[in-house]
PDB file of all heavy atoms in Angstrom:
ATOM      1  N   ASP A 148    -127.055  95.300-189.766  1.00  0.00           N
ATOM      2  CA  ASP A 148    -127.472  95.620-191.137  1.00  0.00           C
ATOM      3  C   ASP A 148    -128.968  95.180-191.354  1.00  0.00           C
ATOM      4  O   ASP A 148    -129.711  95.939-192.001  1.00  0.00           O
ATOM      5  CB  ASP A 148    -126.604  94.941-192.048  1.00  0.00           C
ATOM      6  CG  ASP A 148    -125.166  95.496-192.140  1.00  0.00           C
ATOM      7  OD1 ASP A 148    -124.981  96.638-191.566  1.00  0.00           O
ATOM      8  OD2 ASP A 148    -124.238  94.889-192.644  1.00  0.00           O
ATOM      9  N   TRP A 149    -129.275  94.056-190.848  1.00  0.00           N
ATOM     10  CA  TRP A 149    -130.700  93.551-191.014  1.00  0.00           C
ATOM     11  C   TRP A 149    -131.693  94.524-190.347  1.00  0.00           C
ATOM     12  O   TRP A 149    -132.708  94.823-190.977  1.00  0.00           O
ATOM     13  CB  TRP A 149    -130.895  92.095-190.387  1.00  0.00           C
ATOM     14  CG  TRP A 149    -132.130  91.530-190.616  1.00  0.00           C
ATOM     15  CD1 TRP A 149    -132.637  90.948-191.728  1.00  0.00           C
ATOM     16  CD2 TRP A 149    -133.213  91.425-189.593  1.00  0.00           C
ATOM     17  NE1 TRP A 149    -133.909  90.542-191.562  1.00  0.00           N
ATOM     18  CE2 TRP A 149    -134.211  90.788-190.263  1.00  0.00           C
ATOM     19  CE3 TRP A 149    -133.235  91.844-188.263  1.00  0.00           C
ATOM     20  CZ2 TRP A 149    -135.443  90.552-189.634  1.00  0.00           C
ATOM     21  CZ3 TRP A 149    -134.442  91.603-187.655  1.00  0.00           C
ATOM     22  CH2 TRP A 149    -135.600  90.976-188.290  1.00  0.00           C
ATOM     23  N   LYS A 150    -131.427  94.970-189.165  1.00  0.00           N
ATOM     24  CA  LYS A 150    -132.308  95.933-188.470  1.00  0.00           C
ATOM     25  C   LYS A 150    -132.409  97.180-189.220  1.00  0.00           C
ATOM     26  O   LYS A 150    -133.446  97.742-189.348  1.00  0.00           O
ATOM     27  CB  LYS A 150    -131.809  96.161-186.998  1.00  0.00           C
ATOM     28  CG  LYS A 150    -132.050  95.025-186.085  1.00  0.00           C
ATOM     29  CD  LYS A 150    -131.535  95.316-184.720  1.00  0.00           C
ATOM     30  CE  LYS A 150    -131.691  94.231-183.765  1.00  0.00           C
ATOM     31  NZ  LYS A 150    -131.191  94.449-182.458  1.00  0.00           N
ATOM     32  N   ARG A 151    -131.256  97.613-189.747  1.00  0.00           N
ATOM     33  CA  ARG A 151    -131.258  98.926-190.490  1.00  0.00           C
ATOM     34  C   ARG A 151    -132.131  98.811-191.745  1.00  0.00           C
ATOM     35  O   ARG A 151    -132.901  99.771-192.041  1.00  0.00           O
ATOM     36  CB  ARG A 151    -129.788  99.341-190.796  1.00  0.00           C
ATOM     37  CG  ARG A 151    -129.644 100.758-191.399  1.00  0.00           C
ATOM     38  CD  ARG A 151    -128.262 101.163-191.724  1.00  0.00           C
ATOM     39  NE  ARG A 151    -127.286 100.859-190.659  1.00  0.00           N
ATOM     40  CZ  ARG A 151    -126.209 100.104-190.927  1.00  0.00           C
ATOM     41  NH1 ARG A 151    -126.001  99.603-192.052  1.00  0.00           N
ATOM     42  NH2 ARG A 151    -125.370  99.923-189.934  1.00  0.00           N
ATOM     43  N   ASP A 152    -131.983  97.659-192.446  1.00  0.00           N
ATOM     44  CA  ASP A 152    -132.738  97.532-193.683  1.00  0.00           C
ATOM     45  C   ASP A 152    -134.206  97.448-193.379  1.00  0.00           C
ATOM     46  O   ASP A 152    -135.089  97.958-194.048  1.00  0.00           O
ATOM     47  CB  ASP A 152    -132.256  96.269-194.416  1.00  0.00           C
ATOM     48  CG  ASP A 152    -130.898  96.379-195.040  1.00  0.00           C
ATOM     49  OD1 ASP A 152    -130.497  97.586-195.114  1.00  0.00           O
ATOM     50  OD2 ASP A 152    -130.258  95.438-195.256  1.00  0.00           O
ATOM     51  N   ASN A 153    -134.586  96.739-192.280  1.00  0.00           N
ATOM     52  CA  ASN A 153    -136.021  96.619-191.891  1.00  0.00           C
ATOM     53  C   ASN A 153    -136.587  98.042-191.513  1.00  0.00           C
ATOM     54  O   ASN A 153    -137.800  98.340-191.918  1.00  0.00           O
ATOM     55  CB  ASN A 153    -136.194  95.654-190.699  1.00  0.00           C
ATOM     56  CG  ASN A 153    -136.153  94.248-191.171  1.00  0.00           C
ATOM     57  OD1 ASN A 153    -136.313  93.914-192.287  1.00  0.00           O
ATOM     58  ND2 ASN A 153    -135.996  93.286-190.203  1.00  0.00           N
ATOM     59  N   GLU A 154    -135.843  98.797-190.775  1.00  0.00           N
ATOM     60  CA  GLU A 154    -136.303 100.144-190.433  1.00  0.00           C
ATOM     61  C   GLU A 154    -136.598 100.960-191.640  1.00  0.00           C
ATOM     62  O   GLU A 154    -137.469 101.778-191.812  1.00  0.00           O
ATOM     63  CB  GLU A 154    -135.289 100.864-189.458  1.00  0.00           C
ATOM     64  CG  GLU A 154    -135.357 100.208-188.077  1.00  0.00           C
ATOM     65  CD  GLU A 154    -134.313 100.794-187.173  1.00  0.00           C
ATOM     66  OE1 GLU A 154    -133.516 101.719-187.600  1.00  0.00           O
ATOM     67  OE2 GLU A 154    -134.157 100.313-186.048  1.00  0.00           O
ATOM     68  N   ARG A 155    -135.626 100.920-192.626  1.00  0.00           N
ATOM     69  CA  ARG A 155    -135.805 101.681-193.864  1.00  0.00           C
ATOM     70  C   ARG A 155    -137.072 101.149-194.684  1.00  0.00           C
ATOM     71  O   ARG A 155    -137.820 102.026-195.129  1.00  0.00           O
ATOM     72  CB  ARG A 155    -134.561 101.445-194.807  1.00  0.00           C
ATOM     73  CG  ARG A 155    -133.300 102.193-194.313  1.00  0.00           C
ATOM     74  CD  ARG A 155    -132.127 102.009-195.207  1.00  0.00           C
ATOM     75  NE  ARG A 155    -131.006 102.624-194.689  1.00  0.00           N
ATOM     76  CZ  ARG A 155    -129.794 102.228-195.021  1.00  0.00           C
ATOM     77  NH1 ARG A 155    -129.592 101.315-195.973  1.00  0.00           N
ATOM     78  NH2 ARG A 155    -128.765 102.826-194.482  1.00  0.00           N
ATOM     79  N   LEU A 156    -137.229  99.918-194.603  1.00  0.00           N
ATOM     80  CA  LEU A 156    -138.398  99.373-195.376  1.00  0.00           C
ATOM     81  C   LEU A 156    -139.678  99.722-194.735  1.00  0.00           C
ATOM     82  O   LEU A 156    -140.619 100.218-195.380  1.00  0.00           O
ATOM     83  CB  LEU A 156    -138.318  97.810-195.407  1.00  0.00           C
ATOM     84  CG  LEU A 156    -139.448  97.036-196.192  1.00  0.00           C
ATOM     85  CD1 LEU A 156    -139.416  97.494-197.602  1.00  0.00           C
ATOM     86  CD2 LEU A 156    -139.258  95.549-195.975  1.00  0.00           C
ATOM     87  N   ILE A 157    -139.824  99.720-193.399  1.00  0.00           N
ATOM     88  CA  ILE A 157    -140.928 100.118-192.637  1.00  0.00           C
ATOM     89  C   ILE A 157    -141.217 101.606-192.826  1.00  0.00           C
ATOM     90  O   ILE A 157    -142.326 102.011-193.066  1.00  0.00           O
ATOM     91  CB  ILE A 157    -140.817  99.754-191.164  1.00  0.00           C
ATOM     92  CG1 ILE A 157    -140.896  98.213-190.895  1.00  0.00           C
ATOM     93  CG2 ILE A 157    -141.887 100.501-190.290  1.00  0.00           C
ATOM     94  CD1 ILE A 157    -140.596  97.757-189.559  1.00  0.00           C
ATOM     95  N   LYS A 158    -140.141 102.418-192.847  1.00  0.00           N
ATOM     96  CA  LYS A 158    -140.300 103.860-193.079  1.00  0.00           C
ATOM     97  C   LYS A 158    -140.857 104.091-194.464  1.00  0.00           C
ATOM     98  O   LYS A 158    -141.683 104.992-194.585  1.00  0.00           O
ATOM     99  CB  LYS A 158    -138.923 104.472-192.800  1.00  0.00           C
ATOM    100  CG  LYS A 158    -139.025 105.980-192.790  1.00  0.00           C
ATOM    101  CD  LYS A 158    -137.651 106.616-192.436  1.00  0.00           C
ATOM    102  CE  LYS A 158    -137.791 108.049-192.319  1.00  0.00           C
ATOM    103  NZ  LYS A 158    -136.480 108.663-192.029  1.00  0.00           N
ATOM    104  N   SER A 159    -140.294 103.459-195.535  1.00  0.00           N
ATOM    105  CA  SER A 159    -140.829 103.718-196.775  1.00  0.00           C
ATOM    106  C   SER A 159    -142.173 103.242-197.053  1.00  0.00           C
ATOM    107  O   SER A 159    -142.979 103.779-197.834  1.00  0.00           O
ATOM    108  CB  SER A 159    -139.881 103.003-197.766  1.00  0.00           C
ATOM    109  OG  SER A 159    -139.929 101.626-197.702  1.00  0.00           O
ATOM    110  N   LEU A 160    -142.653 102.239-196.317  1.00  0.00           N
ATOM    111  CA  LEU A 160    -144.006 101.698-196.419  1.00  0.00           C
ATOM    112  C   LEU A 160    -145.069 102.581-195.752  1.00  0.00           C
ATOM    113  O   LEU A 160    -146.147 102.655-196.122  1.00  0.00           O
ATOM    114  CB  LEU A 160    -144.175 100.218-195.906  1.00  0.00           C
ATOM    115  CG  LEU A 160    -143.372  99.225-196.767  1.00  0.00           C
ATOM    116  CD1 LEU A 160    -143.508  97.800-195.990  1.00  0.00           C
ATOM    117  CD2 LEU A 160    -143.971  99.064-198.134  1.00  0.00           C
ATOM    118  N   THR A 161    -144.630 103.244-194.666  1.00  0.00           N
ATOM    119  CA  THR A 161    -145.607 104.086-193.927  1.00  0.00           C
ATOM    120  C   THR A 161    -145.764 105.414-194.536  1.00  0.00           C
ATOM    121  O   THR A 161    -146.653 106.157-194.158  1.00  0.00           O
ATOM    122  CB  THR A 161    -145.099 104.216-192.490  1.00  0.00           C
ATOM    123  OG1 THR A 161    -143.840 104.791-192.469  1.00  0.00           O
ATOM    124  CG2 THR A 161    -145.090 102.923-191.703  1.00  0.00           C
TER     125      THR A 161
END
Side-chain angles (χ1 to χ4, degrees):
D148 290 344
W149 182 79
K150 285 180 183 178
R151 188 180 314 126
D152 291 342
N153 279 348
E154 288 174 4
R155 286 180 187 159
L156 182 63
I157 290 171
K158 188 174 181 180
S159 67
L160 292 175
T161 57

